[in-house]
Amino acid sequence: MASRKARLALTSIAVLLGTMFVAAAMILTSTMDNSVRGAIADGYSSVDAVVTSNEAETDWSTGQGTTGTVPAEMIGRVESAPGVTDVGPAVEGQVNAIGADGKLVGAFAPSIGFNWESLDAQDGYIEMREGGEPTADDEVAVSGKFITDSGLELGDTVTVYSYTADRADYTIVGVYGLSGDRDSLAGETQVGFTTAEAQRLMTEGEDVYTTVYVAGDVDTGELSEALGSDYRVQTGDEASEEAAEGFAVVADFMGYIFLGFGLVAVFVSVFLIINTFTIIVAQRQRELALLRAIGAGRGQVVRSVLAEALVIGVIASIIGLGLGVLLGWGLSQLVSSSLFDGLPVELLVPPTTLWALAVGIGVTLLSALVPATKASGVPPVAAMRAAVNPPKPLRTITIAGAIVFAAGAVLLVLGLTDNLGGNTLTGMLTGIGIAFVGITMLTPIISRPLVAGLGAIMSWSFSGKLGKLNAGRNPRRTAITASALMIAVALITGIASLVSSIKATTSEVLDLNLNSDLIVSGAQGGANLPSFSRQTLAELRGLPDVDQVGDVYIDFFGTQVDGQDAPLSSSEDLGASLEVFGGTVSEGSVEDLSADGVVIDEDTADDRGLGLGDTVEATFGDGASETLRVEAILDGYELTDGFWVAPEQIEHFTLPKPMQAYIDVAEGADVAAVQEQVRDLLADEPEVGVANNAEFVEQQTSQLDFILISVQILLMLAIIIAIIGVVNTLVLSVLERTRELGLLRAVGMTRGQARLMITIESVIICMFGAVLGIAVGIGLGWTVQQALESEGLTQFALPWLLIVVYLIAAVVVGLLAAIAPAARAAKLNVLGAIAYE
C-alpha cells in the first residue's frame, strides 16, 4: 500500500464520498429537527399549559386545521383555575396578504394571523422593533420576515384577507421580531390583529378562540377536569413537541433524499472496489504465488488482502465521516436559510452517524472478499512463470444473471397484471430491484457485442483498433467498470422518462377532454391554495368573446364520504362546466341538481358500490354533515372524478371560492386577445393567472423539471465515483500491460498513438455504461408508467434531448477519465518497460 499511494487514494475516494453523504444525511435530519424543536420551544418557554378543542387538528407546517374552537365563555373558567397567573386567548390561522408587488406574501410558508391579546401568556416571545401594537381594527403589527418578503414598511397600507373573509386594508403600526433576534419562527410570516378583527378573518366573526395559552403554576390534570371532556389540555412542552413535528417533516424529507443518494453512491463504489482489488490481485499473482511457495497458507493470503481493504475502509470512512459532519452542517445552513428564514442551526451529531463508518468499512471489506478469496487460490507454480491468466469463462455468471433477471421479470409481470393480491407495489419494486441485479450480472456477456459495436465506430485508426480490442479483452473488468456509470445513468434516464410521460399524459388529457382555450388557475406553493372571487368569475362569464366558463370549487380539508376521506367538488353550473370539461353523463341528469344531490364518476361508483338513487353521508370542511342522493353518474376523466355536490353546499367548503376556471372562447374570436382581457380582470387576483392549454401544461409540470435537475445534480456524486472507477481501472490496466506497451513503442507506436489508444478504450467503456444505462433507465421508466397507468399515467414518452445529452456526456467523461492513464502510458520508458517484471 505504501508503495502504491495513488492507487490507495483513488480507491479511498469512492468509499469517502459514499460515507460522507450517508453521514451528512443523518446529521442534516437530526440538526434541523433539533433546531426547529429548539426554536419552537422558545416560543412556548413561558407557556405552562395550552388549551384547545378536542376537535381541533392543526397541521403546523401549513397552518391548516379543522374548525374546533374554544368559546369565549370558557376563558373565565381557565382564568379561575388554581395557579393561573396569565391567560392568552388566541385566534390563529392562515391569512393571505398582498405585498408591494401585488403578489401574495409568503407563497411557500404560510402567513399566520393572530390576535395580539394571545401574547399575554407568552412573555418574552415578541420583541417590538418599531412602532407599537395594533389598537384599532384597521391596524396590524407584522413580523420582520413579513417586512422583508412584502416590500412594505412601517406606516404602509397592506391588504389582507382569508379563506372566509373578504379583503380589508390595514395600516402597519408595528414591526417586531421574535426572541433571539429572529424575524420568523420557521420561515413563516406573521400578522398581528386586534381580537375582533382576527375573529372576523379566521372564525367568521364568532366570539371563539382556536387556542388558549396559560401561564402559572398549573396542574394540567385539574384544569382538564375543570373544563370537561370537550377540551384538550397539554403542558407547554407537549404542545411544543406537537408543533415541532409538523415543521420537522420538511427537514426529515430532505434528509431521506440525501440518505438515498448516499446509499446509491455507496452501492456504486462497490463496483470500483471490487474491480480495483481484482486487478491488484492479478498484478501481484507472482508475488502471492511466491508467498504460497515459501509456506504462506490460504488464510494468510486472504487476511493480507482484507487487511489492506480494512485500512483503506477505515481511513476513507473516518475522513468521509469528518467531511460528512461539515457537509451536514453546510446543508443545514442551506435548508435553514432557504426554507426557515435563517433559523439558528444547532449542530447535532447523533450516535447513529457512526453507522456511516460501519457502512463504509463494511462495504469495503465485503467488496474485497471475493478478490481476496481468489488471491488465496493462486497456485505456487505460478511463481515460476510470467504468463497472464486468461479471462475466466462467462457461462456461470451469465446463467446466474439470467435466472436472477427472470425472477425479477416474473415479479414485475405479476405486479403489472395485478396478480400479487394486496402486495402489488411491494412486489413490483422488489421485482425491479432483482431485475436490476440480474442485468448487472449479465453485463459481462452483454459487453462483448456492445463493445464490439461501439468500438467499430472508433476503429478508423491503428490506435482505435487496439483501443477496441483492449476494451473487449476482459469482459468482466469492462462490465464492472461500466456498471458504476450504468447505475447513475439508469436512474437519471428512468426519472427523466417518468417526467416526460407525465407531461405527455397531461397534454393528451387536455387535448382529448377539454373544450377550453384558456385556463385560470394558480400554482400551489406550500400552504397557499390559489383561488379567486365569485365576482371575478361572473365577470369572466360576461366577457363578449367568451362562450362558456367551467368553474371548479374543491374542498380537501376534513371532508369525508361515508366515513372515508374524500375531496368534494362543486360548480355553479355543473351542466355547462361538463361541456367545457369534456365530461358526459352516462346515467341520470345534472340538470336541476337538487341541493341534496351528488354526482359521481363511474370509477367512484364502482369502487364504492353506488348507483343512481343511493345515498351517502358527506362531511364538509366546516364540520357540517349532509345525506346526499346520487342523481347522476359521469363517464369522465381525472378532472371530473370524485364527488360533485350542488352549488348550495359551497358555503360549507373550507374555501368557498372558485379555484379554477376553464374558458371556452367563442368561435372566430382571437384567443390571445381574450387572454389579455382575462389577465386584466385578474389584476386584483394575486393568487391566480391565465394560460392557454400549452402554457398550463408547462406550469403544472414545471416542478417536475426542478425535481429532475435536482436528481441530476445529486447523482453527479455517483458519476464522479464512476469516473474514478474508470481512471483506476485504466491506470491499473496500464501497469498490468507495461511490457506490452513497451513492445508497442519499440516497434514504432508514437506517444500520441499510445494516448489515443488509452483514450478510445476509456470512451468505449463509458459509452458502454451510458448506452446500457439508458436502455435500463427506459425500461425502468416504462415499468413505473405501466404500474401507474390505472392511476391516470396513460402515456409513455422518452426524453430524447436528454438521452442525446447523456451520450455526449459519456464521451466527455471518457475523455476526462483517460487524461492521467493516457499520459502515464505515453511516458513509459521503452527499455524499462520491455525489461519490466
Side-chain angles (χ1 to χ4, degrees):
M1 287 175 63
S3 64
R4 297 178 177 87
K5 297 180 179 63
R7 187 179 68 201
L8 171 65
L10 286 170
T11 309
S12 300
I13 288 174
V15 183
L16 182 153
L17 290 174
T19 306
M20 179 180 71
F21 247 59
V22 171
M26 294 179 176
I27 291 169
L28 169 66
T29 303
S30 59
T31 295
M32 290 309 303
D33 183 72
N34 182 52
S35 301
V36 169
R37 292 180 189 278
I40 293 177
D42 288 345
Y44 285 85
S45 59
S46 61
V47 176
D48 297 293
V50 179
V51 180
T52 56
S53 167
N54 269 332
E55 298 177 5
E57 298 179 1
T58 302
D59 181 351
W60 289 99
S61 64
T62 65
Q64 296 291 349
T66 59
T67 54
T69 54
V70 180
E73 56 265 25
M74 297 299 297
I75 304 303
R77 288 198 199 180
V78 177
E79 291 175 331
S80 61
V84 173
T85 56
D86 282 303
V87 173
V91 182
E92 299 170 327
Q94 184 179 332
V95 295
N96 292 322
I98 302 175
D101 59 359
K103 298 180 180 179
L104 285 183
V105 179
F108 180 79
S111 290
I112 301 298
F114 68 97
N115 63 317
W116 204 260
E117 183 186 359
S118 65
L119 300 175
D120 290 348
Q122 302 178 66
D123 185 44
Y125 177 56
I126 293 294
E127 300 172 351
M128 190 62 71
R129 295 175 180 173
E130 298 181 80
E133 64 185 69
T135 56
D137 290 346
D138 62 351
E139 295 178 346
V140 293
V142 299
S143 62
K145 170 73 168 171
F146 185 93
I147 291 294
T148 301
D149 288 3
S150 68
L152 299 171
E153 298 178 353
L154 185 71
D156 286 347
T157 298
V158 60
T159 300
V160 182
Y161 61 99
S162 70
Y163 291 143
T164 57
D166 293 333
R167 299 181 186 187
D169 292 334
Y170 303 88
T171 302
I172 299 176
V173 297
V175 179
Y176 62 87
L178 306 184
S179 58
D181 197 31
R182 287 173 291 160
D183 287 344
S184 167
L185 182 66
E188 83 293 345
T189 56
Q190 298 181 9
V191 186
F193 304 88
T194 63
T195 296
E197 190 61 16
Q199 289 174 333
R200 184 189 76 83
L201 285 165
M202 289 168 278
T203 64
E204 300 186 62
E206 293 184 50
D207 191 14
V208 294
Y209 299 90
T210 56
T211 310
V212 181
Y213 298 105
V214 183
D217 187 12
V218 184
D219 186 315
T220 55
E222 289 183 5
L223 182 57
S224 178
E225 186 176 344
L227 296 179
S229 59
D230 291 338
Y231 302 96
R232 181 185 183 200
V233 180
Q234 297 174 284
T235 64
D237 290 340
E238 290 170 344
S240 171
E241 183 71 17
E242 185 177 282
E245 289 294 334
F247 283 115
V249 168
V250 176
D252 289 347
F253 179 70
M254 296 193 69
Y256 294 143
I257 290 175
F258 280 100
L259 179 61
F261 284 104
L263 293 176
V264 169
V266 170
F267 182 61
V268 169
S269 67
V270 168
F271 295 94
L272 189 156
I273 298 166
I274 290 175
N275 217 17
T276 299
F277 277 94
T278 299
I279 297 173
I280 289 171
V281 168
Q283 288 179 330
R284 290 163 52 188
Q285 178 173 295
R286 292 190 69 190
E287 173 189 329
L288 293 171
L290 283 170
L291 287 172
R292 293 293 313 282
I294 62 174
R298 289 194 172 193
Q300 287 178 302
V301 174
V302 170
R303 288 192 295 273
S304 71
V305 176
L306 289 181
E308 186 172 346
L310 178 63
V311 172
I312 290 174
V314 169
I315 293 174
S317 297
I318 291 174
I319 296 173
L321 180 62
L323 292 176
V325 173
L326 294 177
L327 179 60
W329 169 257
L331 290 173
S332 299
Q333 294 284 1
L334 179 63
V335 172
S336 171
S337 61
S338 59
L339 299 182
F340 293 101
D341 190 43
L343 173 74
V345 174
E346 302 175 14
L347 181 66
L348 178 64
V349 181
T352 52
T353 307
L354 294 177
W355 278 107
L357 274 179
V359 169
I361 296 171
V363 163
T364 307
L365 285 174
L366 288 174
S367 302
L369 184 60
V370 172
T373 304
K374 289 182 179 179
S376 68
V378 176
V381 72
M384 304 173 190
R385 53 185 172 85
V388 178
N389 286 343
K392 291 185 177 180
L394 301 177
R395 181 180 302 170
T396 302
I397 193 170
T398 300
I399 294 173
I403 293 172
V404 172
F405 177 76
V410 168
L411 269 178
L412 274 176
V413 171
L414 291 175
L416 290 172
T417 54
D418 294 326
N419 287 313
L420 291 176
N423 301 310
T424 298
L425 182 59
T426 303
M428 286 188 62
L429 292 176
T430 304
I432 290 174
I434 294 174
F436 203 85
V437 172
I439 291 171
T440 304
M441 296 173 69
L442 289 171
T443 47
I445 196 68
I446 297 173
S447 71
R448 282 181 167 171
L450 201 50
V451 166
L454 293 170
I457 303 173
M458 304 179 188
S459 300
W460 67 86
S461 66
F462 172 68
S463 298
K465 292 176 181 178
L466 287 178
K468 182 190 77 170
L469 292 173
N470 288 334
R473 177 186 294 186
N474 193 324
R476 289 175 182 264
R477 181 183 302 175
T478 299
I480 293 176
T481 305
S483 291
L485 186 61
M486 178 201 74
I487 293 168
V489 173
L491 290 174
I492 294 174
T493 305
I495 294 172
S497 298
L498 189 59
V499 169
S500 297
S501 300
I502 294 173
K503 288 184 175 182
T505 299
T506 304
S507 181
E508 187 202 42
V509 166
L510 292 179
D511 290 342
L512 294 180
N513 295 282
L514 281 181
N515 296 321
S516 66
D517 300 292
L518 299 171
I519 301 171
V520 175
S521 68
Q524 180 175 344
N528 176 46
L529 288 174
S531 63
F532 53 100
S533 69
R534 291 189 174 188
Q535 176 61 34
T536 300
L537 178 60
E539 292 173 356
L540 290 175
R541 287 196 166 101
L543 289 175
D545 289 329
V546 169
D547 189 9
Q548 291 190 98
V549 177
D551 59 284
V552 181
Y553 294 74
I554 307 177
D555 196 3
F556 301 94
F557 301 106
T559 55
Q560 292 185 329
V561 175
D562 287 340
Q564 299 181 40
D565 292 339
L568 299 175
S569 304
S570 187
S571 171
E572 293 183 5
D573 186 347
L574 185 55
S577 294
L578 285 178
E579 291 185 28
V580 180
F581 298 157
T584 57
V585 179
S586 57
E587 296 182 60
S589 173
V590 298
E591 301 298 332
D592 300 321
L593 183 65
S594 60
D596 63 349
V598 65
V599 179
I600 60 177
D601 68 287
E602 290 180 341
D603 289 339
T604 301
D606 292 339
D607 292 342
R608 300 271 188 146
L610 296 173
L612 284 179
D614 290 344
T615 59
V616 295
E617 188 72 18
T619 302
F620 294 90
D622 65 352
S625 294
E626 295 278 351
T627 300
L628 306 178
R629 184 174 60 259
V630 178
E631 296 187 0
I633 298 177
L634 304 176
D635 178 14
Y637 67 108
E638 186 176 353
L639 186 60
T640 56
D641 282 353
F643 297 86
W644 287 77
V645 298
E648 288 86 352
Q649 306 291 358
I650 292 175
E651 64 182 29
H652 296 304
F653 281 23
T654 305
L655 177 58
K657 298 178 180 180
M659 296 179 66
Q660 292 178 324
Y662 295 79
I663 303 171
D664 181 19
V665 173
E667 188 174 352
D670 185 345
V671 175
V674 176
Q675 184 173 2
E676 194 60 36
Q677 294 172 16
V678 174
R679 189 174 287 117
D680 291 339
L681 282 180
L682 298 177
D684 293 328
E685 301 285 359
E687 300 176 47
V688 296
V690 60
N692 59 40
N693 288 2
E695 293 168 341
F696 180 73
V697 172
E698 188 62 32
Q699 289 174 2
Q700 297 302 305
T701 57
S702 58
Q703 291 185 345
L704 295 175
D705 292 329
F706 174 76
I707 293 173
L708 180 58
I709 292 171
S710 301
V711 168
Q712 289 172 326
I713 292 173
L714 290 171
L715 282 176
M716 282 300 296
L717 176 67
I719 292 175
I720 290 171
I721 295 176
I723 294 173
I724 294 171
V726 177
V727 172
N728 216 8
T729 298
L730 291 175
V731 167
L732 294 174
S733 182
V734 168
L735 290 173
E736 187 179 48
R737 305 199 311 254
T738 297
R739 190 171 187 183
E740 174 188 320
L741 290 168
L743 287 171
L744 288 171
R745 290 292 312 283
V747 297
M749 174 179 274
T750 65
R751 290 187 173 184
Q753 288 176 316
R755 287 194 186 94
L756 183 59
M757 178 183 69
I758 300 298
T759 300
I760 289 176
E761 182 180 353
S762 174
V763 170
I764 290 174
I765 292 173
C766 291
M767 284 291 291
F768 168 57
V771 170
L772 190 57
I774 288 170
V776 173
I778 290 173
L780 180 63
W782 179 83
T783 301
V784 174
Q785 181 269 322
Q786 290 293 305
L788 297 175
E789 189 171 24
S790 61
E791 302 297 325
L793 189 59
T794 57
Q795 294 294 305
F796 178 68
L798 292 177
W800 291 110
L801 179 60
L802 286 177
I803 288 175
V804 173
V805 170
Y806 299 154
L807 290 174
I808 295 173
V811 175
V812 174
V813 166
L815 294 174
L816 293 175
I819 292 175
R824 186 183 186 97
K827 292 178 181 178
L828 283 175
N829 181 283
V830 177
L831 293 178
I834 294 174
Y836 177 77
E837 290 292 339

